[in-house]
Amino acid sequence: MMMLAGALTVLASLSVVGAESPPDAGPPAPPAVAGSKPRTPKAILADAIAATGGAAAWAAHKTMHVKLTIGLQGMAMDGPAEHFQTKTNKSLTVTTMPGVGEIREGSNGKTLWAKDQINGLRFLKGSEAEQARIESSWNADIQAGKLFKKIETVADSPAGLECLTMTPRKGPAIRNCYDAGTHLQVTQEGTRTTAQGDIPFQLKVSDWRSVGGVKIPYVSQTQAGPITLVTTITEITFDEPMNNKMFQPPAPAAP
């Protein structure tokens, strides 16, 4: 999910300044589906890709520019964000939040980096880099075979959902759940590695809309313990010219 990285970085930054307490495990899952045998990961992903327009529709575009707002639910604290993405898996997300400042996260296709007021410029490594690589991909479901070393169907998926446990090359697995009828993604949960430590999270996406021949969720809600962060898309532009320099990590600050 392209909106996940910025949201969880905001949550991590807030935990440093003492805005909230550490996250908990969240509510228990709904009852499992009984009866029919679960479908294969290949079949579930194929339907999920088709539901968002299909691989050909995604391949028809070269870049995507998304404008968003990010806010803490129940608190007068929100700010703007912009996400720039290319078909070649280059990305840049810029988020500005009161009390946190500007947060930049990017990938030039090889180097994954982040910069914020608390941690400065960092070049991501290990599981943190692998998670950022997945989030900066043009479409993670289409590229799932390259991004994950193991994908398994969850036998006891909640009622009405088809869930997959997806294990990246490094770091903890994530669990994606898709609506069994529409095949659109509904949730994602797992543990995000950040500079402040691991953050368990639950993400819900909704308000899927067709733009440029593909479907994108306009609203996402990220839950990490008592903190709920809501991200809302306000504008999407496809095939806008982008300078590759914007995806390069910024120069380190002078000593």
Side-chain angles (χ1 to χ4, degrees):
M1 288 290 169
M2 66 183 177
M3 296 176 282
L4 178 60
L8 289 178
T9 302
V10 170
L11 291 173
S13 299
L14 288 170
S15 68
V16 170
V17 298
E20 296 286 353
S21 58
D24 58 26
V33 177
S36 60
K37 182 179 178 180
R39 297 199 300 154
T40 65
K42 184 177 180 179
I44 294 172
L45 286 173
D47 280 342
I49 293 166
T52 61
W58 282 95
H61 297 295
K62 295 182 179 180
T63 67
M64 178 169 58
H65 178 194
V66 184
K67 294 182 180 180
L68 321 95
T69 59
I70 297 181
L72 289 173
Q73 192 173 73
M75 299 175 63
M77 186 176 181
D78 54 32
E82 286 190 88
H83 178 78
F84 303 87
Q85 182 83 46
T86 76
K87 186 178 177 180
T88 55
N89 299 328
K90 297 176 182 179
S91 70
L92 172 66
T93 303
V94 183
T95 307
T96 305
M97 289 290 287
V100 177
E102 184 180 84
I103 300 168
R104 288 178 167 266
E105 298 163 285
S107 169
N108 61 9
K110 295 182 179 180
T111 302
L112 299 120
W113 56 272
K115 184 179 181 182
D116 59 67
Q117 302 298 318
I118 296 172
N119 302 292
L121 175 63
R122 298 186 303 117
F123 294 94
L124 307 185
K125 299 179 180 179
S127 60
E128 188 177 12
E130 198 62 28
Q131 290 168 342
R133 194 185 319 281
I134 294 168
E135 289 154 9
S136 66
S137 63
W138 183 241
N139 184 302
D141 283 346
I142 293 175
Q143 300 181 53
K146 296 180 180 179
L147 295 171
F148 299 94
K149 65 181 181 181
K150 184 191 297 184
I151 304 176
E152 300 173 295
T153 303
V154 178
D156 58 345
S157 296
L161 300 179
E162 293 183 306
C163 300
L164 297 174
T165 298
M166 309 175 77
T167 306
R169 289 173 291 183
K170 293 182 181 179
I174 60 173
R175 175 169 160 166
N176 284 357
C177 291
Y178 305 85
D179 185 284
T182 66
H183 304 296
L184 294 171
Q185 187 169 355
V186 177
T187 63
Q188 181 182 97
E189 60 183 270
T191 300
R192 168 79 181 191
T193 302
T194 75
Q196 279 71 53
D198 291 343
I199 300 179
F201 71 89
Q202 293 178 321
L203 173 73
K204 296 180 181 179
V205 294
S206 59
D207 193 13
W208 286 84
R209 303 184 193 180
S210 294
V211 186
V214 301
K215 280 189 175 181
I216 294 174
Y218 267 59
V219 177
S220 69
Q221 181 175 297
T222 305
Q223 186 76 35
I227 305 175
T228 303
L229 197 147
V230 179
T231 303
T232 305
I233 293 177
T234 57
E235 183 181 339
I236 297 178
T237 304
F238 281 104
D239 303 315
E240 178 182 286
M242 295 182 183
N243 190 331
N244 282 330
K245 291 182 179 179
M246 70 189 298
F247 304 111
Q248 299 294 339

PDB file of all heavy atoms in Angstrom, residues 15 37 81 96 99 101 105 116 123-124 126 152 198:
ATOM      1  N   SER A  15       5.322   8.627  18.561  1.00  0.00           N
ATOM      2  CA  SER A  15       5.672   7.850  19.750  1.00  0.00           C
ATOM      3  C   SER A  15       6.947   8.370  20.388  1.00  0.00           C
ATOM      4  O   SER A  15       7.132   8.304  21.598  1.00  0.00           O
ATOM      5  CB  SER A  15       5.826   6.369  19.392  1.00  0.00           C
ATOM      6  OG  SER A  15       6.969   6.168  18.573  1.00  0.00           O
ATOM      7  N   LYS A  37     -13.114 -25.373   0.383  1.00  0.00           N
ATOM      8  CA  LYS A  37     -11.661 -25.355   0.466  1.00  0.00           C
ATOM      9  C   LYS A  37     -11.121 -24.017  -0.011  1.00  0.00           C
ATOM     10  O   LYS A  37     -11.582 -23.487  -1.031  1.00  0.00           O
ATOM     11  CB  LYS A  37     -11.092 -26.488  -0.393  1.00  0.00           C
ATOM     12  CG  LYS A  37      -9.587 -26.610  -0.347  1.00  0.00           C
ATOM     13  CD  LYS A  37      -9.137 -27.769  -1.206  1.00  0.00           C
ATOM     14  CE  LYS A  37      -7.614 -27.894  -1.209  1.00  0.00           C
ATOM     15  NZ  LYS A  37      -7.155 -29.026  -2.054  1.00  0.00           N
ATOM     16  N   ALA A  81       0.045  15.560   2.237  1.00  0.00           N
ATOM     17  CA  ALA A  81       1.069  14.632   1.774  1.00  0.00           C
ATOM     18  C   ALA A  81       0.970  14.520   0.260  1.00  0.00           C
ATOM     19  O   ALA A  81      -0.100  14.735  -0.319  1.00  0.00           O
ATOM     20  CB  ALA A  81       0.901  13.262   2.421  1.00  0.00           C
ATOM     21  N   THR A  96       3.793  16.319   5.712  1.00  0.00           N
ATOM     22  CA  THR A  96       4.041  17.400   6.665  1.00  0.00           C
ATOM     23  C   THR A  96       2.995  17.328   7.763  1.00  0.00           C
ATOM     24  O   THR A  96       1.793  17.394   7.485  1.00  0.00           O
ATOM     25  CB  THR A  96       3.983  18.772   5.974  1.00  0.00           C
ATOM     26  OG1 THR A  96       4.906  18.792   4.877  1.00  0.00           O
ATOM     27  CG2 THR A  96       4.368  19.882   6.953  1.00  0.00           C
ATOM     28  N   GLY A  99       3.999  19.370  14.690  1.00  0.00           N
ATOM     29  CA  GLY A  99       4.715  18.720  15.772  1.00  0.00           C
ATOM     30  C   GLY A  99       5.701  17.668  15.313  1.00  0.00           C
ATOM     31  O   GLY A  99       6.487  17.174  16.111  1.00  0.00           O
ATOM     32  N   GLY A 101       6.890  17.827  11.633  1.00  0.00           N
ATOM     33  CA  GLY A 101       7.651  18.450  10.553  1.00  0.00           C
ATOM     34  C   GLY A 101       7.519  17.675   9.260  1.00  0.00           C
ATOM     35  O   GLY A 101       6.587  16.886   9.071  1.00  0.00           O
ATOM     36  N   GLU A 105      10.296  10.094   2.200  1.00  0.00           N
ATOM     37  CA  GLU A 105      10.672   8.691   2.002  1.00  0.00           C
ATOM     38  C   GLU A 105      10.751   8.447   0.509  1.00  0.00           C
ATOM     39  O   GLU A 105       9.824   8.807  -0.229  1.00  0.00           O
ATOM     40  CB  GLU A 105       9.634   7.770   2.626  1.00  0.00           C
ATOM     41  CG  GLU A 105       9.513   7.957   4.127  1.00  0.00           C
ATOM     42  CD  GLU A 105       8.224   7.361   4.662  1.00  0.00           C
ATOM     43  OE1 GLU A 105       7.172   7.963   4.466  1.00  0.00           O
ATOM     44  OE2 GLU A 105       8.297   6.279   5.271  1.00  0.00           O
ATOM     45  N   ASP A 116      13.721  12.674   8.164  1.00  0.00           N
ATOM     46  CA  ASP A 116      12.762  13.405   8.995  1.00  0.00           C
ATOM     47  C   ASP A 116      13.513  14.218  10.036  1.00  0.00           C
ATOM     48  O   ASP A 116      14.741  14.117  10.167  1.00  0.00           O
ATOM     49  CB  ASP A 116      11.761  12.445   9.650  1.00  0.00           C
ATOM     50  CG  ASP A 116      12.440  11.409  10.532  1.00  0.00           C
ATOM     51  OD1 ASP A 116      13.001  11.792  11.570  1.00  0.00           O
ATOM     52  OD2 ASP A 116      12.407  10.211  10.192  1.00  0.00           O
ATOM     53  N   PHE A 123      19.698   5.708   5.187  1.00  0.00           N
ATOM     54  CA  PHE A 123      19.620   4.769   4.081  1.00  0.00           C
ATOM     55  C   PHE A 123      19.112   3.451   4.657  1.00  0.00           C
ATOM     56  O   PHE A 123      19.752   2.866   5.536  1.00  0.00           O
ATOM     57  CB  PHE A 123      20.983   4.615   3.406  1.00  0.00           C
ATOM     58  CG  PHE A 123      21.441   5.881   2.737  1.00  0.00           C
ATOM     59  CD1 PHE A 123      22.270   6.778   3.397  1.00  0.00           C
ATOM     60  CD2 PHE A 123      21.009   6.189   1.459  1.00  0.00           C
ATOM     61  CE1 PHE A 123      22.681   7.955   2.787  1.00  0.00           C
ATOM     62  CE2 PHE A 123      21.418   7.361   0.830  1.00  0.00           C
ATOM     63  CZ  PHE A 123      22.252   8.245   1.500  1.00  0.00           C
ATOM     64  N   LEU A 124      17.962   3.003   4.198  1.00  0.00           N
ATOM     65  CA  LEU A 124      17.280   1.873   4.813  1.00  0.00           C
ATOM     66  C   LEU A 124      17.983   0.559   4.509  1.00  0.00           C
ATOM     67  O   LEU A 124      18.516   0.357   3.421  1.00  0.00           O
ATOM     68  CB  LEU A 124      15.832   1.820   4.333  1.00  0.00           C
ATOM     69  CG  LEU A 124      15.030   3.120   4.499  1.00  0.00           C
ATOM     70  CD1 LEU A 124      13.582   2.903   4.093  1.00  0.00           C
ATOM     71  CD2 LEU A 124      15.129   3.658   5.929  1.00  0.00           C
ATOM     72  N   GLY A 126      18.041  -3.968   5.621  1.00  0.00           N
ATOM     73  CA  GLY A 126      17.354  -5.115   6.209  1.00  0.00           C
ATOM     74  C   GLY A 126      15.863  -5.127   5.932  1.00  0.00           C
ATOM     75  O   GLY A 126      15.398  -4.794   4.843  1.00  0.00           O
ATOM     76  N   GLU A 152       1.013 -17.765   0.990  1.00  0.00           N
ATOM     77  CA  GLU A 152       0.164 -18.882   1.392  1.00  0.00           C
ATOM     78  C   GLU A 152      -1.255 -18.401   1.662  1.00  0.00           C
ATOM     79  O   GLU A 152      -1.464 -17.301   2.188  1.00  0.00           O
ATOM     80  CB  GLU A 152       0.711 -19.545   2.656  1.00  0.00           C
ATOM     81  CG  GLU A 152       2.116 -20.114   2.517  1.00  0.00           C
ATOM     82  CD  GLU A 152       2.669 -20.594   3.836  1.00  0.00           C
ATOM     83  OE1 GLU A 152       2.884 -19.756   4.730  1.00  0.00           O
ATOM     84  OE2 GLU A 152       2.879 -21.810   3.969  1.00  0.00           O
ATOM     85  N   ASP A 198       9.763  -1.863  16.144  1.00  0.00           N
ATOM     86  CA  ASP A 198       8.701  -2.513  15.390  1.00  0.00           C
ATOM     87  C   ASP A 198       7.328  -2.010  15.845  1.00  0.00           C
ATOM     88  O   ASP A 198       7.076  -1.874  17.050  1.00  0.00           O
ATOM     89  CB  ASP A 198       8.769  -4.029  15.567  1.00  0.00           C
ATOM     90  CG  ASP A 198      10.004  -4.622  14.887  1.00  0.00           C
ATOM     91  OD1 ASP A 198      10.596  -3.932  14.043  1.00  0.00           O
ATOM     92  OD2 ASP A 198      10.368  -5.768  15.216  1.00  0.00           O
TER      93      ASP A 198
END
